Amino acid sequence: MTPDSLFASLSSQLGTRKQRSLQLIHQICAEQQERNSHDFSIATIGKLSKARGGPSEQAIRNKNGDEYRQLIASWQCTNNHKKLGRTPVEQPQDVLKLINEPSVRAEVGLMLAELKQLRGEVRLLKSLNKDTIIIDKSIHLRGSSNSKVELLPAIPLSSAELHALENAISPATFENNGWQEDPKDHSVRNQHGRKVFEVGFVSAIKTVLDHTKK
C-alpha cells in the first residue's frame, strides 16, 4: 500500500484533531522525499512535526501514536525501494569485484560473457524481425541420375502449366506417340528404342505435380 493510500485509510478512522496531526506527518514525510532526504526516522519526523505544532517524537512513540508510526514506516519503505532502484550494479566488472574467491569469480565471468552474447543475439533477432525476411524454400528433386528439377514454391504454376505437365506423361500421350517409360531410369523412349526424353523425366514431373498439389 502506498503512503497516500495508507493515509486515506487511517484518516477515515480518526477524529478531526488527530486527522490534522496525521496530515502534518504525511506532509512532512512528502517534503523529506522531495528534498531527496533518506531520513524518515521517528526522531527526525517528530522534531520537524513539533516545530510546526504537530506531534512530538514522544507522542509518535506513545501507544496512541500507532497511526503516525504506520504512516512513517510506509514512507520509509517507499523511500528505500526508490533508493535501491537508483543504484543498480550496471557493469559486469562491478559484480566481479564483489567476489573474492578466484574460482567463483572466473565462473561468474564466463556466465556474464555468455549472457552478453545471448543478449546480442536477441537484439539481432529483434532487429531482423522489423524487416521482411525472405526464406529460400527451394528444393531439389532428384531422379535416379544426376539430372534434377529445382522447384521454387514462391512461384506457383498456373492451372494451364499443371495440365501441360500432366498431359506430357499421360497414358494417352504415350500411346499416341508410341512412347514407353523405362521403369529403371524413368526416361522416355520411342517405338524404336531411341531416347526421347532424358533419364528421370517422368519421375521428375510426377514429383513436381505431387508437391504442387499438396
Side-chain angles (χ1 to χ4, degrees), residues 139-157:
I139 60 173
H140 296 281
L141 309 175
R142 297 182 181 277
S144 58
S145 70
N146 293 331
S147 62
K148 62 183 180 181
V149 174
E150 185 179 70
L151 175 64
L152 298 175
I155 307 176
L157 298 176

Side-chain angles (χ1 to χ4, degrees), residues 2-35:
T2 65
D4 289 336
S5 299
L6 180 60
F7 170 72
S9 176
L10 293 173
S11 295
S12 64
Q13 306 172 31
L14 301 176
T16 303
R17 183 177 178 181
K18 198 166 186 178
Q19 279 183 355
R20 287 198 296 267
S21 296
L22 190 68
Q23 171 69 46
L24 179 59
I25 296 293
H26 190 51
Q27 183 177 343
I28 290 172
C29 290
E31 292 171 355
Q32 285 289 89
Q33 187 179 75
E34 288 175 1
R35 63 172 66 101

Side-chain angles (χ1 to χ4, degrees), residues 6-186:
L6 180 60
F7 170 72
S9 176
L10 293 173
S11 295
S12 64
Q13 306 172 31
L14 301 176
T16 303
R17 183 177 178 181
K18 198 166 186 178
Q19 279 183 355
R20 287 198 296 267
S21 296
L22 190 68
Q23 171 69 46
L24 179 59
I25 296 293
H26 190 51
Q27 183 177 343
I28 290 172
C29 290
E31 292 171 355
Q32 285 289 89
Q33 187 179 75
E34 288 175 1
R35 63 172 66 101
N36 293 323
S37 173
H38 305 313
D39 188 358
F40 288 84
S41 64
I42 293 178
T44 297
I45 302 301
K47 180 180 178 180
L48 294 173
S49 172
K50 183 179 179 180
R52 295 162 65 171
S56 64
E57 175 187 351
Q58 188 58 46
I60 294 173
R61 294 186 185 277
N62 286 342
K63 182 178 180 180
N64 293 333
D66 183 57
E67 292 83 5
Y68 305 142
R69 294 193 298 273
Q70 288 184 51
L71 185 59
I72 293 172
S74 178
W75 276 104
Q76 178 71 64
C77 182
T78 300
N79 179 73
N80 286 341
H81 282 308
K82 291 187 175 182
K83 183 170 67 173
L84 290 174
R86 288 196 299 268
T87 57
V89 178
E90 298 181 354
Q91 300 298 328
Q93 298 88 336
D94 297 331
V95 176
L96 296 177
K97 288 178 182 178
L98 300 175
I99 304 174
N100 296 323
E101 182 64 35
S103 60
V104 177
R105 185 166 59 247
E107 289 292 333
V108 173
L110 290 174
M111 293 172 63
L112 290 173
E114 292 177 359
L115 178 61
K116 182 179 180 181
Q117 180 180 352
L118 290 173
R119 285 176 173 171
E121 293 175 356
V122 169
R123 285 195 295 269
L124 176 60
L125 290 174
K126 286 182 177 179
S127 65
L128 290 176
N129 192 42
K130 295 178 181 178
D131 302 320
T132 301
I133 302 175
I134 299 177
I135 300 176
D136 185 3
K137 287 188 175 181
S138 303
I139 60 173
H140 296 281
L141 309 175
R142 297 182 181 277
S144 58
S145 70
N146 293 331
S147 62
K148 62 183 180 181
V149 174
E150 185 179 70
L151 175 64
L152 298 175
I155 307 176
L157 298 176
S158 66
S159 57
E161 291 169 332
L162 290 174
H163 177 72
L165 290 176
E166 291 174 341
N167 186 65
I169 59 173
S170 67
T173 298
F174 273 56
E175 183 179 351
N176 292 337
N177 290 278
W179 294 345
Q180 288 186 341
E181 176 187 354
D182 190 323
K184 295 182 180 179
D185 59 15
H186 302 288

